[in-house]
Amino acid sequence: MRKVLEADPRIDSVAEVLSMHLGPQEILLGVTLDFQDHLTAADIEAASDHFADLIQGVDKRITRVFVRSGRAREAYARRAGG
């Protein structure tokens, strides 16, 4: 999954890829991505939708995809005291 995301030019880096198996045919996937700084909010929304479709195409068991920005990850770490 990381390689699929890292290949996209809109992504600077993939901070994390997390998965949770909810059942034999249901996987939740969360990714934290550092997007290129020049992208607009609309660009990021479109990219997130594209990534969700792309990821679900890799494995049909992935039924839910959550995408957040790397900056959100930094903010979470500050709130958590990290």
Side-chain angles (χ1 to χ4, degrees), residues 9-11 35-44 47:
R10 296 171 287 191
I11 301 299
F35 290 93
Q36 293 282 327
D37 289 338
H38 66 84
L39 296 177
T40 66
D43 294 335
I44 292 171

Side-chain angles (χ1 to χ4, degrees), residues 20-61:
M20 179 183 293
H21 291 249
L22 304 172
Q25 296 300 316
E26 190 171 4
I27 299 171
L28 177 147
L29 191 81
V31 295
T32 303
L33 306 172
D34 185 12
F35 290 93
Q36 293 282 327
D37 289 338
H38 66 84
L39 296 177
T40 66
D43 294 335
I44 292 171
E45 285 178 0
S48 296
D49 289 342
H50 171 78
F51 297 144
D53 291 341
L54 186 67
I55 288 166
Q56 289 176 317
V58 170
D59 188 332
K60 294 298 181 197
R61 296 175 302 158

Side-chain angles (χ1 to χ4, degrees), residues 61-77:
R61 296 175 302 158
I62 300 171
T63 58
R64 306 233 189 321
V65 178
F66 294 92
V67 178
R68 70 176 181 167
S69 74
R71 296 201 174 147
R73 182 175 185 237
E74 292 169 10
Y76 176 78

